[in-house]
Amino acid sequence: MTSIDPLVRLRAEHGVELGEDAWIALVPEVMPDHATAMAALIDELPLAPESLVIFGKPVETPRLVSFHGDPHARYSYSGRVFDPKPWTPFLASVRERVREVTGTRFDCVLVNHYRDGKDAMGWHADDEPELGPNAPRDVLIASLSLGAMRRFVLRHRRRSEDKRALELGEGNLLVMGGATQHRWQHCVPRTSKPVRPRMNLTFRLVRR
Ligand SMILES: O=C(O)CCC(=O)C(=O)O
């Protein structure tokens, strides 16, 4: 019997086709013990605000950040180059869980910790050239969310009124594939509602 590629199966069972070769799949309950996992990662990782350069000015991220990966997986965004910190034991086990679900061994992860509704992520796409030989037209991202649900919004780059809102948290996994980073941007808006902490781990492939 031939085995089906896990990504083909995820896309068939949970996928939303966005057109123009862009697709996403939202997989529920990938990490049912997500609150315990988040607490373990808060203990284990050196989470801290990151200083980025936005429109030529240094700005601190409104969230805590930690970037980890294999030694070759250097990554640049917002005017900075990030050298990966090593995989920690619990983080490596989370990567293994994402590999089981996606069939992909990602080589780095950006961890974002949103302490409350004031912590957020602005509009952007994960379209850096190091994300694969066919970036940004074919980029695979697996985004695991732990803790509270937060709204995650996608908007089409040319038709900005074309938006899709998802709730990400409680151990669900959003896989973004194909031309999603090329055609769409995404954000996690601030909210004035009281929200519990949330953590998001975006697993990426920075090819050698
Ligand atoms: O927190 C999220 O769901 C989004 C994270 C994200 O957009 C990123 O790490 O690039």
Side-chain angles (χ1 to χ4, degrees):
M1 204 172 71
T2 50
S3 59
I4 301 174
D5 178 340
L7 283 176
V8 172
R9 204 186 54 242
L10 285 186
R11 194 170 166 184
E13 288 176 4
H14 303 284
V16 176
E17 299 298 321
L18 298 172
E20 303 170 310
D21 295 327
W23 62 273
I24 56 173
L26 181 55
V27 191
E29 291 174 22
V30 164
M31 191 149 285
D33 51 353
H34 63 92
T36 314
M38 185 167 90
L41 291 169
I42 288 172
D43 262 10
E44 198 179 70
L45 305 180
L47 289 154
E50 195 73 73
S51 173
L52 302 177
V53 182
I54 313 257
F55 299 120
K57 293 209 174 105
V59 176
E60 280 214 334
T61 53
R63 58 190 178 275
L64 308 181
V65 179
S66 199
F67 178 61
H68 297 259
D70 298 345
H72 71 273
R74 298 181 86 213
Y75 189 59
S76 52
Y77 67 90
S78 293
R80 295 262 326 263
V81 177
F82 295 89
D83 280 311
K85 298 186 184 79
W87 295 97
T88 54
F90 193 77
L91 189 59
S93 74
V94 178
R95 167 165 75 157
E96 187 51 25
R97 174 70 189 128
V98 171
R99 192 193 60 73
E100 276 168 20
V101 177
T102 61
T104 307
R105 189 174 181 279
F106 290 93
D107 58 15
C108 59
V109 63
L110 180 65
V111 183
N112 285 294
H113 178 38
Y114 304 82
R115 294 156 290 183
D116 57 27
K118 293 199 285 297
D119 278 358
M121 167 87 81
W123 287 113
H124 70 286
D126 301 328
D127 56 357
E128 292 76 16
E130 58 265 46
L131 291 175
N134 301 319
R137 287 174 186 276
D138 192 7
V139 171
L140 184 68
I141 303 277
S143 168
L144 178 70
S145 296
L146 313 174
M149 289 283 192
R150 286 284 296 265
R151 180 150 288 215
F152 173 93
V153 189
L154 282 154
R155 82 171 171 203
H156 194 275
R157 285 185 193 250
R158 278 183 290 104
R159 305 183 305 270
S160 55
E161 70 291 351
D162 190 356
K163 290 190 176 138
R164 311 292 156 96
L166 308 170
E167 296 294 321
L168 300 187
E170 300 183 357
N172 64 14
L173 181 78
L174 175 69
V175 181
M176 298 188 271
T180 306
Q181 307 305 321
H182 183 50
R183 301 288 184 196
W184 297 73
Q185 292 181 312
H186 54 268
C187 75
V188 177
R190 290 176 79 161
T191 175
S192 55
K193 292 188 194 136
V195 283
R196 287 177 298 109
R198 167 178 180 269
M199 182 177 280
N200 174 266
L201 299 94
T202 42
F203 288 87
R204 300 144 194 259
L205 278 167
V206 172
R207 299 179 203 259
R208 284 170 201 275

